Amino acid sequence: MMSETDGAVLCRKLLAHVRADDAYVTVQGAEAGHLRFAANSFTFSGRREDVRVSVTVWSGKKKGEAVGNELDDAALEALVREAQAIAAVSPEETEYVPTLGPQEYRPSARWAEGTAALDAAARARVVSDMIGTCEKDKVVGAGLHRSLAVVNAWAGKNGGAGTERWTQASLSMTARTPEGDGSGYFLRDHEDATKIDAARIARESVARCLRSRGGTPVEPGLYTVLLEPQAVADLLTLMRFAFDARRADEGRSAFSAPGSKTRVGERIFDERVQMRTDPWHPDLPGSVSSDGGLPARALSIVKDGVPTNLVYSRFWAREKQKEPTGGFVNFIVESAARPVSVEEMVKDTKRGLLVTRFWYLRQVDPRTLLYTGLTRDGLWLIENGAVTRPVSNMRFNQSLMRMLAPGNVDAIGAAERTCAGESQGGSAGLYPALKIKEFEFTSASEAV
Amino acid sequence: METTRRGFLYTSGAVVGVATLPAWVLEREAAEAATLDHDAVAAAALAKIKTLGGGYADVRINRYRYETLGSREAQIRQVERRQTFGMGVRVLVEGAWGFAASREVTPRAAERLADAAFEIAKANAAHQRRKIELVPTSKVAAKWATPCRRDPFEVPLADKVQFLLGANAVAMKVPGVGYVESGLMFVAEEKFFVSSEGARIEQRIVRGSPWLLATAVDRASGDFQARQSLPGPRGVGWECVEDHDWNAEAEQAGRDAVEKLKAKAVEPGTYDLVLDPSHLWLTIHESVGHPTELDRALGWEADYAGTSFLKTSDVGKLRYGSPIVNFVADRTQAGGLATVGYDDDGVPAQRWHLVKDGVFVDWQTTRETAGLIGRKTSYGCTHADSWGSVAFPRMPNVSLEPSPKPVTADELIADIKRGILILGNGSSSIDQQRYNFQFGGQVFWEIKDGKKAGLLKDVAYQSRSTDFWGRCDGLGGAATYELGGSMSDGKGQPGQVNAVSHGCPTARFREITVINTGRGARS
C-alpha cells in the first residue's frame, strides 16, 4: 500500500516535469476488497490495487488534463507532457482560477488499521456467520462486505500541497423469505471494519423481512410517514447537490427565487431542520480537502430551517466576491429540538406508514426537488399509535422542498450514521428518523 | 490487436491555433508495447495457479482509454484524457471464486496476483454453500474490433472543440435560451483474455457519446426548462458525430426549451402514447432488459439492483406483451454499445429472442448461471467494466423488432383521439422486481384527433411492465427504427457500469396513466 509520503513524492515528481504556467496534480493509491453473497452462498469476491494520477495544467489560461495509472518516471513525465499538449491546443478557460498557495490542513481521523489489514479469511468468516443466521431463520440472504484503504496526495504549482489517508468499510444484507413474500434490509458503514456489527445487520434485516411478509395494498395518496434513518439517507443524500450557489444564481435551482434572487435567508424549512458539513465530526470524519486543495471547513447550510449558505466553488466565489466554501465532505442532518424516538413517533400517530427504505430515486423536477421512487424492504401501516400490519410497496412523487417545509415536519429523531442504499456505503452521513405529515404516494407496486 | 497508434502526430485546425498534440502518451505506450509480452504475463499467472492446484482460471490484461470534453456556452470547461491499464486474475477453487487485480503488469506481478486470487478462493471455499460450476464453451483463439469508419482518438482535438462550440453557438442564438452545456466522450477498450481452457482473445471496443443540453430561464417567474439532445451514444467511431445534423439538433433543443416555458401543463389522466425510439429505449431497458437477466431471477442481485418478477418456470408461458411484441437480445448488432466479439468468459457474441410473439421465451445467461436452469451453453452475457472488476452477468443489447410493414410515425398518431407523443428520455424509475415504472421525457406533443397539437410539459407516465407491453397495438416499420442506449448502466456490488443499446421503432400504447409532475406534483 502506498504511503502518504510516497504520494507526496510522486506529486513533487510530477510538478518537476511541468513547464506550463500553473498546475495541480493528484495521486490516489487504493486497495479494495469485497465479498458478495446471495441465495445464502458466496457469489463473487476479490481484491484490487490501483493508483490514479491526475495532472491539470494551464498554459496561460489554456487548460489540459491527463489521468493515468502508471508510476515510473517515464510514465509520469509523459502524463505531464500529455496534459501540456492538450492545453496547447485548447481554447482559453475563462473560469481559470490560479492554484492555491500553501495551506494548513487540520487532520481528521479517517484511517483504521482494522480495515486496511482485513484479510479474506476474516471477511469470509463474518459473512458465513450472517448466512448462518439466515439459514437458522429460514430466510434467504444476499449482501456485500466491502473495504477500502486510500491514500490521497495533492499539490499545486503555487505551493499548496497536502496528503491524507482514509479507510471505509460497509456491510449490507437483504433477507428474503423463500416464498418471496417478505424482504428486509440493513446497511451500516464505518472507517473501522472491526466496528461494524455484522450480527446486528443480520438480525435487523431478518427481523424486517419476517415482519414485512404478506403485505397487502393500501390506496395510494397522501399519508403521514415515519421515515427510518435509512429512508431519510436515501432521500436527503440527493439534496446535497441542490445547494450549488452558481445554479441558484443562474435561476435554475430549487434555491433560485424570482427576480434573479436566491432563497438564502428565507425560512423555507421547518425551524428544527439543521443541515451542515463538518470534517471533524467525531462520528463521521470527512476529508480535510475539497475543491482543488481548499481546506475543508465546517459549514452550516441550513440553520433553524433557513438556508444560510450555498456552496461556492473557487471560481463562483471570485465572481460573486464571496468566500469559497468547498463542497460537502459529509452531510449531517439533525434537529434543533429534543430528538424524538421512532417508538414515540409511532405512539403519536393516528394513521400513517412506517418506511424503512426507498429505492430507485430519480429527480423529476429540479425546480421543486420533486423526486420519484419506491418503498422497498418493509412498509407498515400505523393505526392508533401502533404498527398494525405490513402493506405492499408504493411509488411516491414528492418534492423535498415541500416535505421539509414549515408545518409538514411533525417530528425529528436522533441522527444516526448510515448511507444511501443506492450508493452502497459510499455516501456516509448522519440522518435522523423523520415524521412527515403529508407525503404523496402515486401508485401501487407488487414488488417485494 | 494493435496496442499502440504510434506516429500520428498532427496539426490542429484554425479554431484554437496551431500546435502539435501527441496521442496517448505515445512514447511511453510504444515502449511498453514493445516490451510487454501479454502471453508471457498471462502464462505466468496460469502456471502459478496450476502449481497451487486451482481449477478454472482466466487472466484479463486490459487498457481503457477515455477522452472527455465538456463545454458551456462559448467556453470549453474540460478536456481530459484518461487511461487505466492493469490485469485481473480469476480462479475457481473447490467451487468458490477468487479474484485479484493490479495496475502492475509483469510476470512477477502475475504470479503474485495468482497467489492472492487463489488465497481468496481457498478462504471462501471453506464456507461455500453452493459450489460454482461453469457450462462448457468452445476454445477460441480470435481477434475482434468494433467496426469504425473513423477512430475518434485520431480526430484532432480542434475538430472536437469546434464541434461543441459550434453547436452551443447555434443553440444560444435561439431567443430565450440562457445556457447551453455539451460534451463528448469516447472510450476505447483494448482487451486481452486468456483462460486455463486454452482461450486467447484480443478485442478493441470503441464507443462514442455526443450530447447537448439547452436551458431556458424565465427570471421574472423563476421558472426554467431544459431540453437534452435526442440521439444516444453508440458503439461506433467519430461517425456518432458525423452521421447526425448536430447543429439542427442544437437549434431544435433550444427552441423546445423555450417553448416548454409556455407549454400547457398536462392534465393528469389516461392517454394513448406514441413513443419515439429516442424515448422508448429506456423503457425497454428497464422493463424488459433487466427482468430477463437470469441472475436477478436467481436472487443474486437481491441486495442491490433487485430481483425479477419473472420466474424460471415462466419460460414459454408468461405473456409479456401483445402478439406484435418481439424482443431480441443481440451482442452482434451493428452500432450497439454492448456489441462485442466475445464476452468476458470468452463466449462468442450471439443473437436470440427473449420475447417472441408476446411470450417470454428466454433469459440472458452466462457460463455460471446457464447450468442452474439446465442449459448446456451460455449466451455470453458476462462483462467486467475494468481489468480490476470481477466479471459478472450484464445486459446485451435488447431491442424491439419493428413491424414488417412500412408503418410511419404519422400513421400511428393518426389513429389517436387523445394522446401524447414523447421524445427523448427524462426521469426514470422502476421497482426492484421491475413491475411498476415511471418515465418522463424531453419533449411532449399533445395529440388531438390524430394530429400533433402543441407542446405539453410536466408529463410522466406510470405503468406495470407486462400491462404496458400488453397495450402495445402499433409498431413503426424499419424506417422508424433507431438505437438508443446508455454508457453507464449501473448494477452489481461493488457497483459497475455497462454500456448497452436498445433499438426500437416508434410504437403506440393504449390507455396509459399520465401524471402531472409540475411544481411539486400537487399544485
Side-chain angles (χ1 to χ4, degrees):
Chain A
M1 179 77 197
M2 174 187 287
S3 68
E4 286 176 271
T5 305
D6 294 336
V9 168
L10 285 165
C11 284
R12 284 199 293 274
K13 277 187 179 179
L14 287 161
L15 284 179
H17 292 303
V18 171
R19 298 290 170 266
D21 301 311
D22 200 358
Y24 183 72
V25 301
T26 69
V27 173
Q28 181 180 74
E31 287 190 9
H34 77 277
L35 173 55
R36 197 176 187 205
F37 62 106
N40 283 349
S41 189
F42 297 169
T43 50
F44 307 104
S45 179
R47 65 184 290 270
R48 167 184 180 152
E49 54 194 34
D50 196 10
V51 169
R52 184 181 196 275
V53 181
S54 78
V55 178
T56 306
V57 299
W58 291 266
S59 296
K61 290 183 176 178
K62 297 174 165 191
K63 184 169 83 167
E65 295 172 86
V67 181
N69 73 336
E70 289 154 288
L71 293 185
D72 57 87
D73 286 346
L76 297 178
E77 186 183 358
L79 202 63
V80 171
R81 277 208 311 275
E82 177 90 6
Q84 291 178 159
I86 293 170
V89 296
S90 291
E92 287 199 344
E93 185 199 18
T94 55
E95 298 184 5
Y96 165 65
V97 181
T99 57
L100 293 162
Q103 304 290 312
E104 290 288 326
Y105 299 101
R106 183 180 147 199
S108 169
R110 299 178 73 202
W111 177 269
E113 277 306 321
T115 304
L118 189 69
D119 67 17
R123 198 192 306 271
R125 278 195 301 275
V126 167
V127 173
S128 183
D129 288 348
M130 294 173 79
I131 293 174
T133 301
C134 294
E135 290 167 336
K136 180 173 71 63
D137 289 321
K138 297 187 169 46
V139 298
V140 183
L144 173 71
H145 189 302
R146 72 184 299 199
S147 58
L148 186 61
V150 179
V151 166
N152 286 121
W154 59 92
K157 197 167 178 185
N158 290 324
T163 63
E164 69 175 339
R165 61 178 189 162
W166 54 278
T167 53
Q168 189 193 41
S170 64
L171 180 58
S172 62
M173 184 170 121
T174 297
R176 294 176 61 79
T177 60
E179 300 79 16
D181 64 347
S183 184
Y185 174 79
F186 208 74
L187 162 70
R188 284 295 181 265
D189 83 295
H190 203 276
E191 294 77 59
D192 189 343
T194 64
K195 292 193 174 154
I196 292 180
D197 186 346
R200 180 190 176 207
I201 290 165
R203 203 168 54 241
E204 295 271 9
S205 58
V206 170
R208 281 168 169 73
C209 165
L210 297 176
R211 286 205 325 262
S212 73
R213 65 190 312 170
T216 49
V218 292
E219 275 300 306
L222 287 177
Y223 282 85
T224 293
V225 290
L226 273 64
L227 309 179
E228 290 188 357
Q230 179 64 59
V232 175
D234 293 334
L235 267 183
L236 295 191
T237 294
L238 303 162
M239 197 167 182
R240 291 179 304 170
F241 306 109
F243 289 102
D244 180 63
R246 184 174 185 175
R247 292 191 87 79
D249 287 332
E250 289 178 343
R252 43 181 178 160
S253 151
F255 292 96
S256 302
S260 300
K261 294 178 182 156
T262 73
R263 308 194 75 180
V264 170
E266 273 185 62
R267 173 153 291 138
I268 54 178
F269 300 127
D270 180 276
E271 65 182 4
R272 287 162 294 179
V273 171
Q274 318 286 321
M275 296 184 186
R276 62 193 176 96
T277 184
D278 180 357
W280 304 287
H281 194 290
D283 296 328
L284 187 70
S287 173
V288 300
S289 160
S290 75
D291 194 11
L294 189 73
R297 55 189 263 201
L299 185 72
S300 166
I301 300 290
V302 174
K303 186 165 174 52
D304 303 334
V306 179
T308 46
N309 282 297
L310 295 175
V311 172
Y312 283 84
S313 67
R314 293 183 61 229
F315 164 71
W316 200 243
R318 188 184 68 184
E319 292 295 298
K320 294 292 173 182
Q321 296 173 327
K322 299 261 190 182
E323 277 293 304
T325 58
F328 287 90
V329 294
N330 56 19
F331 195 36
I332 300 156
V333 181
E334 56 200 352
S335 174
R338 180 190 72 83
V340 181
S341 71
V342 173
E343 291 72 25
E344 285 176 275
M345 291 184 198
V346 170
K347 210 174 281 179
D348 199 29
T349 301
K350 193 164 168 43
R351 181 178 162 83
L353 293 170
L354 175 61
V355 180
T356 193
R357 182 187 183 190
F358 288 119
W359 170 248
Y360 219 126
L361 294 126
R362 292 295 180 273
Q363 192 177 83
V364 177
D365 190 340
R367 298 171 299 179
T368 56
L369 295 185
L370 178 77
Y371 278 83
T372 190
L374 298 114
T375 60
R376 175 174 175 178
D377 301 317
L379 180 67
W380 295 273
L381 187 66
I382 303 166
E383 293 171 298
N384 301 317
V387 175
T388 52
R389 64 181 171 93
V391 296
S392 308
N393 285 309
M394 286 192 286
R395 170 176 299 285
F396 69 88
N397 275 267
Q398 176 64 49
S399 154
L400 301 188
M401 304 298 278
R402 181 173 292 191
M403 182 180 94
L404 296 176
N408 201 38
V409 178
D410 193 89
I412 305 177
E416 281 184 42
R417 178 169 174 163
T418 188
C419 39
E422 286 191 62
S423 71
Q424 301 184 4
S427 62
L430 295 176
Y431 299 97
L434 288 176
K435 182 177 172 187
I436 303 296
K437 286 181 183 167
E438 289 192 343
F439 190 96
E440 186 172 28
F441 293 97
T442 53
S443 59
S445 164
E446 297 150 80
V448 176
Chain B
M1 180 183 65
E2 276 196 331
T3 53
T4 179
R5 284 185 300 285
R6 188 203 304 260
F8 68 93
L9 297 177
Y10 54 79
T11 302
S12 70
V15 176
V16 292
V18 176
T20 56
L21 178 62
W24 292 109
V25 196
L26 269 181
E27 296 87 338
R28 161 74 187 152
E29 183 183 316
E32 178 196 78
T35 56
L36 179 66
D37 182 340
H38 287 56
D39 288 294
V41 172
L46 295 179
K48 182 71 177 177
I49 282 167
K50 198 171 178 185
T51 310
L52 293 167
Y56 171 85
D58 56 40
V59 179
R60 289 182 291 118
I61 302 174
N62 297 349
R63 182 182 294 277
Y64 298 81
R65 295 169 162 177
Y66 307 86
E67 184 173 77
T68 308
L69 284 84
S71 78
R72 61 173 290 172
E73 293 93 53
Q75 59 175 306
I76 296 291
R77 300 189 74 197
Q78 180 191 24
V79 180
E80 182 192 273
R81 285 179 173 177
R82 177 162 65 93
Q83 62 176 313
T84 174
F85 179 62
M87 68 182 294
V89 178
R90 181 173 70 152
V91 61
L92 202 49
V93 178
E94 297 163 22
W97 282 121
F99 175 78
S102 173
R103 46 165 291 280
E104 285 183 50
V105 185
T106 63
R108 182 178 293 186
E111 289 186 358
R112 182 172 61 80
L113 293 175
D115 258 332
F118 184 88
E119 185 190 322
I120 291 168
K122 192 80 181 165
N124 291 342
H127 305 277
Q128 185 77 13
R129 269 71 166 184
R130 174 186 61 83
K131 302 293 180 195
I132 293 161
E133 292 178 14
L134 306 179
V135 296
T137 189
S138 52
K139 182 173 135 183
V140 173
K143 294 185 181 187
W144 188 88
T146 302
C148 275
R149 207 166 63 219
R150 191 174 179 196
D151 187 332
F153 292 91
E154 298 187 5
V155 172
L157 187 59
D159 292 3
K160 294 165 180 165
V161 168
Q162 186 174 32
F163 163 70
L164 292 177
L165 297 185
N168 289 5
V170 169
M172 288 298 289
K173 269 191 199 150
V174 175
V177 170
Y179 305 100
V180 182
E181 291 145 89
S182 63
L184 283 169
M185 184 182 182
F186 296 103
V187 181
E189 302 179 359
E190 296 174 352
K191 303 172 70 167
F192 177 82
F193 173 88
V194 168
S195 80
S196 59
E197 295 172 345
R200 185 189 183 284
I201 299 166
E202 295 177 69
Q203 299 190 84
R204 183 166 191 269
I205 297 156
V206 175
R207 304 182 181 103
S209 176
W211 62 271
L212 178 139
L213 180 75
T215 303
V217 179
D218 181 343
R219 291 283 188 171
S221 70
D223 196 7
F224 59 96
Q225 291 285 342
R227 202 284 231 170
Q228 192 171 310
S229 51
L230 302 181
R234 288 196 297 147
V236 296
W238 181 246
E239 46 269 40
C240 65
V241 171
E242 290 177 330
D243 288 355
H244 186 70
D245 185 345
W246 283 92
N247 284 343
E249 181 72 32
E251 184 176 352
Q252 191 59 50
R255 287 186 193 285
D256 288 343
V258 174
E259 192 66 26
K260 278 166 79 174
L261 277 177
K262 49 192 179 190
K264 189 169 76 173
V266 71
E267 187 70 30
T270 301
Y271 291 81
D272 293 343
L273 301 182
V274 174
L275 303 180
D276 186 74
S278 61
H279 170 88
L280 186 57
W281 73 265
L282 184 55
T283 310
I284 293 169
H285 175 84
E286 302 289 18
S287 68
V288 183
H290 282 305
T292 53
E293 293 173 311
L294 179 56
D295 60 323
R296 292 182 66 118
L298 296 172
W300 292 12
E301 288 289 332
D303 189 52
Y304 180 58
T307 59
S308 173
F309 67 83
L310 294 171
K311 301 184 293 292
T312 52
S313 56
D314 289 334
V315 176
K317 297 176 194 159
L318 183 128
R319 175 149 292 281
Y320 214 106
S322 65
I324 62 170
V325 169
N326 290 283
F327 286 106
V328 172
D330 190 353
R331 299 203 78 177
T332 69
Q333 186 168 14
L337 292 164
T339 297
V340 295
Y342 303 87
D343 79 346
D344 283 335
D345 278 338
V347 175
Q350 294 162 63
R351 181 182 191 277
W352 69 103
H353 271 95
L354 298 171
V355 173
K356 181 92 176 131
D357 301 328
V359 177
F360 168 56
V361 293
D362 217 339
W363 298 100
Q364 304 162 39
T365 63
T366 66
R367 289 191 70 184
E368 188 174 344
T369 59
L372 297 172
I373 54 167
R375 302 293 174 84
K376 304 292 183 208
T377 57
S378 158
Y379 278 129
C381 297
T382 299
H383 174 75
D385 68 357
S386 159
W387 51 264
S389 300
V390 173
F392 78 117
R394 293 313 309 257
M395 195 187 298
N397 306 307
V398 172
S399 299
L400 174 65
E401 293 189 317
S403 167
K405 296 176 191 159
V407 180
T408 65
D410 284 345
E411 286 172 313
L412 294 172
I413 289 169
D415 194 29
I416 289 179
K417 193 163 174 57
R418 179 186 191 240
I420 303 171
L421 165 67
I422 304 181
L423 297 91
N425 59 278
S427 175
S428 68
S429 172
I430 189 163
D431 69 47
Q432 76 276 14
Q433 290 191 306
R434 307 274 149 175
Y435 288 107
N436 172 307
F437 61 66
Q438 176 175 316
F439 290 94
Q442 292 295 320
V443 182
F444 313 100
W445 281 93
E446 184 176 20
I447 301 171
K448 267 187 182 169
D449 300 324
K451 292 200 171 76
K452 283 157 72 178
L455 289 192
L456 294 170
K457 66 178 176 184
D458 303 332
V459 177
Y461 63 91
Q462 295 184 344
S463 191
R464 181 180 179 276
S465 294
T466 49
D467 292 349
F468 177 79
W469 290 107
R471 292 168 184 272
C472 180
D473 80 334
L475 294 173
T480 72
Y481 186 93
E482 287 174 25
L483 274 183
S486 167
M487 295 281 271
S488 54
D489 175 33
K491 184 184 170 188
Q493 296 172 304
Q496 293 189 39
V497 295
N498 180 43
V500 61
S501 289
H502 303 285
C504 54
T506 306
R508 185 177 58 209
F509 300 82
R510 297 292 188 182
E511 296 184 1
I512 304 294
T513 300
V514 168
I515 64 167
N516 180 312
T517 62
R519 294 292 181 191
R522 274 187 278 143
S523 56

